[in-house]
Amino acid sequence: MELNNVQTLYSFETEYNADSVEWCPHDPHKNLFVCANYQLIENETSDNCTKRLGKLLLFSIETEKGLQLLQTINTLAILDQKWCHRKINDFSILAVASTERKVDIYKLNEETVQLELMKSYKINSTPETLVLSLDWSTGIHVLNKPEILCSDSKGNIHLLELNDNVAWKETFHGHEYEAWIAGFYYWDTNIIFSGGDDSLFLKFDRRVGKQPVSKNKSHEAGVTSFHSNPSKEYLVTSGSYDENVRLWDIRKMKTELNCLKMPGTLWRLKWDPFQNTKLLAACMLGGVHIVNTNSDEMEIIGSYYEHKNIAYGSDWSYLEEKKCDEFEGLGQYIISSCSFYDRLLCVSKVHLPS
């Protein structure tokens, strides 16, 4: 069935390949989001023939001014980024994962509406190591010293703490190949999950050591996405190159609660920030989709096919329905999405049956 309930509000062509979008979760800046870029630059005059460069783009949307690019920061190539769920010292904080094993921490200056680099941290690994994913420990809990979980291209999962600086706490070796994703179980952040190119979906409990307490082998290809549900205890989701979205009860990891075949390979899964019953799925060459999980059988209830070349990034806006109504067209949600080689960023309005 063709679903046409996701309509483009704005589009933007990025200079570099686009691979991640993240909306600010905090008032008064829920109309802001960041788009991250990753570009291989050929160097014809050197034997070291390529460099990985990136840009961090800060955007706003407004009913009168539309989509505005507020800031461009030249960086190393970026693979993932996440806003801290809670403000820290009254600032919105963004963590950025990049090449050369770096994690950068930015704060949003509310007066200038610009991102300012606060701190940087280099993972203790070989120079070519890439930091592939990030998550914050603040999905449910308010913490004075929040933790950041990141995964890398050597199969490791690193635990950092943000205090006066960025401090390393622990490293877990989880996967033989790239650890594409790592995430906290928000209800108890002693528990962490990771997924790798070895098709393993691992669960760790920091209280009992550095070895995984469960090794799930249900995925038929690399595990690329994970998100803990902040409203329903024990519920988490995973996605894979095998094109399936899976729901899990973390107490019974042998068999998934539910599974849905998608139109393409999964890269990112995000619970909606309102009811936490819908998943936004970036399916690479298979489009961007919204999945309803609040029934016996999961189903796709919204689809977006404007991206022609590897949709890596997608995220829900935190703008409430009343604010979304101010923008053109039908719909109670606003999302953004981006794709790689066509360098396309889109902001769209989603209309779902109530």
Side-chain angles (χ1 to χ4, degrees), residues 278-323:
K278 293 172 280 293
L279 285 167
L280 184 60
C283 293
M284 296 178 71
L285 292 173
V288 175
H289 305 276
I290 297 163
V291 176
N292 178 30
T293 70
N294 203 23
S295 60
D296 292 338
E297 296 295 329
M298 291 193 293
E299 62 174 339
I300 295 173
I301 56 174
S303 294
Y304 188 70
Y305 286 106
E306 291 303 309
H307 297 287
K308 306 305 179 189
N309 204 314
I310 311 185
Y312 277 133
S314 62
D315 195 25
W316 301 90
S317 158
Y318 291 78
L319 291 168
E320 291 80 6
E321 184 173 347
K322 186 177 179 181
K323 191 68 179 175

Side-chain angles (χ1 to χ4, degrees), residues 181-186 193-195 201 219 223-230 232 234-240 244-250 253 256-260 262 266 268-272 276-281 291 293 298:
I181 193 73
F184 286 102
Y185 171 57
Y186 293 142
F193 287 85
S194 68
F201 182 40
H219 304 79
V223 182
T224 55
S225 48
F226 168 85
H227 202 193
S228 174
N229 191 298
K232 294 183 180 178
Y234 309 120
L235 182 65
V236 302
T237 186
S238 68
S240 167
N244 285 292
V245 173
R246 291 175 168 88
L247 296 183
W248 303 92
D249 182 323
I250 71 161
M253 291 297 297
E256 64 260 28
L257 292 172
N258 216 329
C259 185
L260 178 65
M262 299 296 289
L266 273 297
R268 283 292 177 264
L269 286 168
K270 305 274 187 68
W271 292 106
D272 78 88
N276 303 124
T277 58
K278 293 172 280 293
L279 285 167
L280 184 60
V291 176
T293 70
M298 291 193 293

Side-chain angles (χ1 to χ4, degrees), residues 9-34:
L9 284 174
Y10 313 109
S11 60
F12 184 93
E13 187 175 334
T14 60
E15 181 183 354
Y16 288 173
N17 301 330
D19 64 359
S20 172
V21 285
E22 296 285 330
W23 285 85
C24 181
H26 309 130
D27 284 324
H29 295 301
K30 290 180 179 178
N31 67 319
L32 301 184
F33 70 94
V34 283

Side-chain angles (χ1 to χ4, degrees), residues 143-158:
L143 303 166
N144 292 326
K145 296 180 180 180
E147 294 175 321
I148 302 168
L149 195 65
C150 55
S151 64
D152 73 25
S153 55
K154 301 294 184 183
N156 296 311
I157 301 99
H158 307 277

Side-chain angles (χ1 to χ4, degrees), residues 7-110:
Q7 302 294 330
T8 307
L9 284 174
Y10 313 109
S11 60
F12 184 93
E13 187 175 334
T14 60
E15 181 183 354
Y16 288 173
N17 301 330
D19 64 359
S20 172
V21 285
E22 296 285 330
W23 285 85
C24 181
H26 309 130
D27 284 324
H29 295 301
K30 290 180 179 178
N31 67 319
L32 301 184
F33 70 94
V34 283
C35 176
N37 298 169
Y38 180 113
Q39 188 77 28
L40 285 176
I41 305 294
E42 300 290 337
N43 185 349
E44 297 177 358
T45 63
S46 171
D47 292 335
N48 184 13
C49 57
T50 58
K51 286 186 176 181
R52 293 183 175 95
L53 298 180
K55 291 180 186 291
L56 179 58
L57 309 176
L58 177 66
F59 289 92
S60 69
I61 60 166
E62 296 179 27
T63 51
E64 298 297 323
K65 298 179 181 178
L67 177 69
Q68 287 188 294
L69 176 61
L70 302 180
Q71 185 181 14
T72 300
I73 301 173
N74 292 311
T75 66
L76 297 170
I78 299 170
L79 293 108
D80 196 17
Q81 54 185 346
K82 293 287 191 308
W83 294 93
C84 186
H85 304 86
R86 320 289 170 181
K87 284 188 175 183
I88 301 174
N89 298 325
D90 213 29
F91 286 105
S92 296
I93 303 295
L94 178 72
V96 175
S98 62
T99 56
E100 297 183 19
R101 63 192 195 280
K102 276 193 73 180
V103 176
D104 291 324
I105 308 294
Y106 293 86
K107 73 175 181 181
L108 180 67
N109 185 318
E110 295 207 356

Side-chain angles (χ1 to χ4, degrees), residues 115-155:
L115 290 167
E116 299 174 356
L117 182 64
M118 293 171 55
K119 312 171 194 301
S120 292
Y121 183 84
K122 273 200 172 185
I123 299 294
N124 184 18
S125 185
T126 54
E128 71 276 10
T129 301
L130 313 180
V131 184
L132 299 176
S133 76
L134 284 170
D135 196 19
W136 290 88
S137 61
T138 49
I140 291 176
H141 305 295
V142 178
L143 303 166
N144 292 326
K145 296 180 180 180
E147 294 175 321
I148 302 168
L149 195 65
C150 55
S151 64
D152 73 25
S153 55
K154 301 294 184 183

